[in-house]
Amino acid sequence: MECLLGFASSVSRDLVCGALNQLRYLCCFKNFVKRLEEEESSLIITRDSVQKFVKHVKKQARNPDAIVDKWLEDAINDVHNVNQLLEEARTPKHCCFGHCPNWIWRYHVGKKLANKTMDLKKFIDEGRKYVPFDRIATLPSNTLDMLLEKCMNFESRQSAYEQLLDAVKNNDVSMIGLYGMGGCGKTTLAMEVRKFVEAEHLFEEVLFVPVSSTAEVRRVQEKIASSLQFEFPEPEEMQRAQRLCSRLTQEKNIFIILDDVWEKLDLGHIGIPSSEHHKGCKILITSRSEAVCTLMDCQRKIYLPILTDEEAWTLFQNKALISEATSDTLKEMGRLISNECKGLPVTIAAVACSLKGKTEMVWSVTLNKLRHSKPINIERGLTDPYKCLRLSYDNLDAKEAKSLFLLCSVFPEDCEILVELLTRCAIGLGVVGEVHSYEEARSEVIAAKIKLVSCCLLLDEDHERVKMHDLVRDVAHLIAKNENKMIKCEVEKDVMVEQNSVRYLYCVKFPNDLDCSNLEFLRLRTKMKEFDGIFKRMGMLKVLILDNGGDGKTPLSTICFKTLTNLRDLIIFNYELSDFSFLSGMKNLQSLSLFGCLLPSFPELQTDVAITLKLLELTGCDIKVKNFEVIKRIPFLEELYIIDIQGEWDANSEDNIKEWWNAETNIEFFKTFSVPQTLQSYGIVLGSYDFEHFNYGDIYTHRRTLLLNHFDVSNEVMKGLAKKAKDLFVRNIHGGAKSMIPDIFQIEGGYLNELNKLEVRFSQELECLIDTRSHSSEVVTLFSKLHTLIIDNMENLRVIWHCFLPANGPFENLENLSLSYCPGLTSLFTYGVARSLVKLKILKISRCDGLKHILTDEEKAEKSQDEFTSGRHPVQIFQNLQEVEVFRCREVKHIFPANIVGGLTQLKVLEIEECEKLEEIIGDIVPLTEQDRKELDEIVEEGTLSSLASLRIKGCGKLGSIFTTSIAKTLTSLEELFIESCKSLKDIVTHESIVEDEHDCESDISIFQSLKKLHISYCALLVGIFPVSFVGELNEIDTDDEYGKENMRAIFPNLKELSVYNCSQLKYMIDQYDVANKDYKEIRIQFSALEILSLQYVPKFVSICSINTLTVTWPSLKDFHCYSCLTIITSTKDPKGIQNHLPTLQTLNIKHSAVERIFCLNEHEMIGQPVSLRLENMELYNVPQLTYIWVGPNNSLTLQHLTTLYISYCGKLEVIFPKSIVRCLPQLKWLTITECMELKQIMEEDESILLSFGCDKEASKNYFAFPNLEKLEIIECAKLEVVFPKSVLRCLPKLKLLKIRKCKELRQIIEGDKNLSNLVSPQPCFPKLEALLVDHCPKLKRCVSESASHDLPNLHLLAINGAYELEELVGCKEGKIKVELPRLKLLIFMHLSNFSQEIELHNLKNCIVYKCPKLSLTSTTTLQKLWLHFPYKDFINTEVRSWEFEDIVRSIDDYSTINGSSEFASSQVRINQSMNMNINKIKKSR
């Protein structure tokens, strides 16, 4: 029974529990929904974590397990299924017409929810097993800024930085190279680029990889992998490269910086994909070698220079913590140390940091070491610049480059070394070893030089020179010392070196006891005559350079040279040689160079010497005997340079001395001279003074130069040299030749085809350059390499070319053509000849009075079968012409015919001057047919003159207009337009005909979009500058104004300078307005980029445009100059007022104008804060109608930047600074007011300010109107009573110079106020005043009121003249007080009838007192003595310059105060006489 009861109880319990368990699906339905939502969130988080882990694993170049991928796939499906289930649960179902829940549906869904929740828990737990517990956190974006020192923004770096950013942003650039010398800041700049790229999120990944001099592939791979947070499982480099490439290509775009690259890197071997395989991979390399950048195929190579002196000083101050508190001694020493570092950032930073906080003695020691090229001590933790640069040397892979590097260091600091001199020295020292020919040796030296420049160990300079940075030079000296090849350069003192150690020596003082047994190179700059005791100890000497170091020729005993048997290169400057016997012992001599020497004869060379000599140069030498035939006895001579030598050869001359450039002596040279057979290079220059285009440096560059000012066509030696020359300069060709070819040189044989440059001058017999008409059936190529042709002063030249033209034509490589003073030329080119000049870049024509056409038709010139027989057809020639200058060709009527301008797409510069008959630049040729018209229009449309950047036209009296509209529209690159003295010019741009399409007129705004500078002067008929259509269809500008976008116009968006001078008829900048915009209430035009505007002597100028509804704004204008102009641009009716029109104006000059007001702002136009002007400098001169400068409500304008203000001859001006000006002028330093006869107040009194003084003591304490005013000058302001009113008391703390003259009504300089004096404790009004002049102010009673301090602590000069009512300098309410002037050096009191105040004078040295009856002072000097011997030494330590004190004394005008006093008048006469006698002496002393 009990068993049955137990069984029944168990069954009933299970039934009840089961029933309750099923009921929870109904009762806890909402809880199940909530739990599933929670699990769904957990699932999403787990799924995202697993996805991130999988992504991370893939970035490690590994694949996740398949089970993980299966879990992720299930997770995505589960999220979808859960969403569907939850959506079903959130949509309840009811029964019984909606009054009762559907319990069956609820049961089934609740059970699904419960089961799904349990399944998700298990699924999530499984997913969490695939996610690591922790991983490396992502670096914060601002970490780099925190760790790296901010790069100082230097201008020399800005250009390179901008170039780098431009390359980084350019999608077509994948490889960028940044190069510069070691320590110049390449890595720092690359890091700045990295910071910018990361901040702007330009790339998904940015990697910075230091490479260094030992570029191991494995190490570079490890560094890249470390940056990407993954490891290589493979040991082999190639497998690693594949894995790294696979990883990098996962990034959409990636930026890799390879820093400090020393040699070409095989990026593929490292694993970096090329741009061909990964378009998003961009690489920046930094290197010390430009060659490395080239080898790495860098599309952009950017050079980083060293710092300028000022930038170096700024960096030094920053690193050495130099501040205003630093002593002047350390600052001066720091500046010198900074200069010695020569702009190398690594040196500056290391030296400055080492000196930080050190004593003055340490600084001095460092300076001395730097000056004497001694190594300085660099503290641990700082980059050693010496090691940095030594590394560059160690990595040179050629011993020739290393040897040349050491040789360069023997020259003085900052020396610009001639490459030719360096080459000869290097060959003499055997830098390139033994070579077969001198030319081969030269090539190897030049290659080594190029390598050093590429590695930034040498710096290329102008005119074929190189220079070595001072620190690099110091490193070279240390290297040489370590290699036992000591190099010394002493240009000021005796040489001190260890015995047997010096190899290379440059000195001016040579000690006789110096052991030079190992010396190989010596440059001695001295006037010594005897060298016997020196040279005999130099058995190893290979290169010797002697220079007497001054003017004149020092006699030299040549016997001392006989011991120099090992000498290979001998160079002598400015010595007088007695003979050449010393050459007999120099059996190794390869090069002999004599400059400016006096020679007994041409060097006679013995056979044993001549057999080794390969180079001979005589430049500027005076040779007594004309034995030039000895040159042919030098059997292996390869290079010969005879340059401007002279001699005493013509006994028939008047003074028995003929200079070399005379024709007779020229002929004498070639009578005896013959060319050695082995000669390869030569420079024969006889009379260079007459060839202005000749450059001495080209002799050594081109290596075959012939310059003769007398050319005899019958001399075969001359002709032989000319045939092989590369540069040929000839003058006065004579012998009956009418052409160069064929009369002088035959057509056959290819003569003159080696010419690079040809200049022919003053050859009256020549009528043409080439005449090959007799060879019209033959194909000839002439002057095939000529790139420069200059023809000058050829009176009978009729034509340049008379020739049949083959397909390639003559002068196919001609780039530069210049003709001048050829009056017989009527035309320059035919179409056929011009067509052959495919490379012509520069064309200059000057003073060809008969020239009518630059380009002419062959039919007009002569009959021809050339295919271009008609000049009317559109043709394309001069495709590469870039610069054209036409000067004083009085018959030319146009420059280019219209049918060729379509080919001038490369023309950049066009200058036309004094072409009196010029009517148009582009000639007007009417096409023959309608088809011709279409072709011509197509050429114009395709971009005529599209590259023209600069156009200058001057003195073209018949020119009526510059461009037609169709031509002007193509000037998309024009940046500069200068027009001067074109008296007939009426329009700059004109329409060819009546405009048929309204759009054509309105689209003219596209003209001159690139224009930056426009200058027009002396164009008397010009009425308007721009055509009316320029404001037709204009560009829209974003604006919030009430007018909206449609009324804002921008013209000339790049115009920065606009200047108009002396155009007497000019009325408008934009001429009569078109009706196209008649519906607009107001048109607003903006010159958005204009910075400088100058309108001078345009008396009829009325406005920018002729209509009243046009408003012009100038948002970038900085300088405005207006002289002799009726109106100005600054008045406005714009709602935003002046601030909107002139927000950037800094300089304003108005002279000789009838303007009445300048800056105007009405009360209803005020919006918010006062209008802030950027004005810094303003000058108003002779503006007689001016009544107000600033007009507006109280405190509506601020002048926070005004520094200088000059106002003169403004007869109606009553107030300078009215109430509209906010009353603090914090930057004003100089204020000058002259001859403003109606001026009553400088600063208009504001009663509200005075009330604030009475109520608020703190306000009065801190109020300063002129806190930085240094100079104040007021002259002839007849109605001015007070200089400064009550409200500006004690507002002149920096005033140094105060001059007031001829102010008849002036009563006080600073007006007193009793109420104010009770509030403020007296302080000096002028604590820094050094000079005070009051002249002819008869009503002045006191200078400073009683409310101010009574002392002038810094006054050095006090001059008061003609102040009859003056009683005291400083007034005092307590009675008379004593004024202390502790530093006064000069006192002048004249005509002070009532002055009686006692003055305390401690250091007074000079005193003049005249007609001051109430004073007990007596004169100690006179005006005459002061004028003749001004005591400058008394004013040495003043901030006011001493000459300004002198000018005050000289300016005292007493003519109106003498009143017939014979005593003073006679003194004045004596003074004036003495002044005239000593005027030169006075000027010299000043």
Side-chain angles (χ1 to χ4, degrees), residues 919-921 951 953 956 958-965 968 977 979 982-992 1008 1014 1016 1019-1030 1063 1065-1066 1068-1072:
E919 297 177 356
E920 50 192 359
I921 297 175
L951 174 61
I953 303 174
C956 299
K958 287 192 174 182
L959 192 64
S961 67
I962 308 298
F963 309 107
T964 60
T965 306
L977 177 58
I979 306 171
C982 295
K983 58 185 179 182
S984 300
L985 187 71
K986 294 183 179 180
D987 301 291
I988 294 177
V989 179
T990 57
H991 290 281
E992 296 93 332
F1008 303 147
L1014 174 59
I1016 305 173
C1019 296
L1021 298 183
L1022 190 66
V1023 177
I1025 298 177
F1026 306 120
V1028 297
S1029 52
F1030 271 45
C1063 295
Q1065 300 300 318
L1066 187 71
Y1068 307 106
M1069 196 174 294
I1070 300 171
D1071 210 346
Q1072 297 295 322

Side-chain angles (χ1 to χ4, degrees), residues 323-332 360:
S323 63
E324 293 183 1
T326 305
S327 67
D328 292 339
T329 303
L330 281 186
K331 286 181 180 178
E332 292 173 5
E360 185 178 318

Side-chain angles (χ1 to χ4, degrees), residues 628 642 660 665-673 684 686:
F628 304 116
I642 307 293
W660 179 250
T665 53
N666 195 332
I667 295 172
E668 284 294 325
F669 176 80
F670 281 98
K671 279 183 178 179
T672 58
F673 171 75
I684 310 296
L686 305 176

Side-chain angles (χ1 to χ4, degrees), residues 736-1007:
K738 294 185 180 297
S739 67
M740 288 193 70
I741 295 178
D743 291 358
I744 303 176
F745 304 103
Q746 298 177 2
I747 296 176
E748 298 82 5
Y751 299 124
L752 303 181
N753 279 344
E754 293 296 317
L755 271 182
N756 293 317
K757 188 172 185 177
L758 173 62
E759 181 172 352
V760 185
R761 310 188 72 220
F762 290 95
S763 297
Q764 312 306 330
E765 296 180 2
L766 290 186
E767 295 182 1
C768 73
L769 202 64
I770 303 173
D771 188 354
T772 59
R773 288 174 291 181
S774 61
H775 294 72
S776 59
S777 61
E778 300 178 18
V779 177
V780 292
T781 301
L782 303 171
F783 298 105
S784 59
K785 295 183 180 180
L786 188 71
H787 68 75
T788 300
L789 174 61
I790 301 171
I791 301 175
D792 178 44
N793 272 286
M794 307 279 280
E795 291 185 2
N796 295 311
L797 190 71
R798 297 290 180 265
V799 66
I800 298 176
W801 296 276
H802 270 315
C803 57
F804 170 78
L805 298 174
N808 51 354
F811 302 95
E812 57 186 342
N813 286 296
L814 188 65
E815 295 182 3
N816 191 334
L817 174 60
S818 175
L819 296 102
S820 56
Y821 292 99
C822 298
L825 274 178
T826 57
S827 64
L828 190 55
F829 307 111
T830 62
Y831 279 91
V833 171
R835 176 174 169 264
S836 69
L837 302 175
V838 292
K839 293 187 178 181
L840 187 65
K841 293 181 179 179
I842 300 175
L843 174 62
K844 296 183 180 181
I845 310 169
S846 173
R847 291 182 168 90
C848 295
D849 291 338
L851 188 69
K852 295 182 179 180
H853 307 284
I854 294 176
L855 195 63
T856 187
D857 193 341
E858 279 92 340
E859 291 179 350
K860 296 179 181 178
E862 60 177 296
K863 296 293 182 180
S864 174
Q865 296 301 316
D866 191 88
E867 60 178 305
F868 298 100
T869 56
S870 175
R872 300 175 183 271
H873 293 282
V875 293
Q876 292 198 12
I877 57 178
F878 298 142
Q879 295 95 327
N880 290 294
L881 191 62
Q882 297 179 5
E883 181 178 343
V884 175
E885 294 182 15
V886 183
F887 174 70
R888 200 172 290 179
C889 296
R890 305 182 188 280
E891 298 295 324
V892 170
K893 293 185 178 181
H894 66 259
I895 305 300
F896 305 111
N899 61 341
I900 71 135
V901 293
L904 301 175
T905 56
Q906 299 299 316
L907 186 64
K908 293 179 173 62
V909 177
L910 176 58
E911 297 185 9
I912 309 169
E913 186 172 346
E914 296 186 31
C915 295
E916 297 174 355
K917 293 187 179 180
L918 186 74
E919 297 177 356
E920 50 192 359
I921 297 175
I922 309 298
D924 185 14
I925 295 181
V926 180
L928 294 176
T929 65
E930 184 63 27
Q931 180 63 27
D932 289 341
R933 175 186 292 275
K934 292 180 179 179
E935 292 181 9
L936 188 58
D937 290 341
E938 288 176 0
I939 291 176
V940 170
E941 290 296 328
E942 287 175 1
T944 304
L945 304 180
S946 58
S947 297
L948 187 65
S950 176
L951 174 61
R952 294 172 181 262
I953 303 174
K954 179 181 179 180
C956 299
K958 287 192 174 182
L959 192 64
S961 67
I962 308 298
F963 309 107
T964 60
T965 306
S966 59
I967 295 294
K969 285 181 179 179
T970 67
L971 301 175
T972 55
S973 301
L974 187 65
E975 296 181 358
E976 297 181 350
L977 177 58
F978 293 81
I979 306 171
E980 180 180 350
S981 300
C982 295
K983 58 185 179 182
S984 300
L985 187 71
K986 294 183 179 180
D987 301 291
I988 294 177
V989 179
T990 57
H991 290 281
E992 296 93 332
S993 58
I994 299 175
V995 179
E996 299 177 1
D997 187 356
E998 183 179 340
H999 176 73
D1000 290 342
C1001 177
E1002 293 184 349
S1003 64
D1004 288 356
I1005 187 57
S1006 62
I1007 300 176

Side-chain angles (χ1 to χ4, degrees), residues 55 168 221 335 456 536 542 582 688 786 815 1121 1306:
K55 186 177 180 181
V168 168
Q221 289 174 336
R335 171 72 83 163
C456 300
K536 67 182 181 182
K542 295 179 180 179
F582 67 91
S688 63
L786 188 71
E815 295 182 3
H1121 306 271
L1306 187 68

Side-chain angles (χ1 to χ4, degrees), residues 48-95:
D48 293 343
S49 299
V50 174
Q51 282 180 333
K52 290 179 180 178
F53 172 71
V54 170
K55 186 177 180 181
H56 176 71
V57 168
K58 288 181 178 180
K59 285 190 174 183
Q60 299 291 320
R62 294 181 294 171
N63 291 322
D65 291 337
I67 191 172
V68 178
D69 291 334
K70 180 65 171 61
W71 186 93
L72 271 177
E73 183 180 349
D74 293 342
I76 295 171
N77 293 331
D78 275 350
V79 170
H80 177 69
N81 294 334
V82 168
N83 283 332
Q84 286 184 336
L85 181 57
L86 287 174
E87 185 67 27
E88 182 183 359
R90 294 187 188 110
T91 309
K93 294 185 178 181
H94 298 81
C95 60

Side-chain angles (χ1 to χ4, degrees), residues 1090-1093 1114-1120 1129 1142 1144-1145:
L1090 192 66
E1091 296 180 358
I1092 300 174
L1093 174 61
W1114 321 81
S1116 301
L1117 190 65
K1118 294 180 180 179
D1119 296 349
F1120 176 44
I1129 65 167
L1142 304 168
T1144 59
L1145 187 66

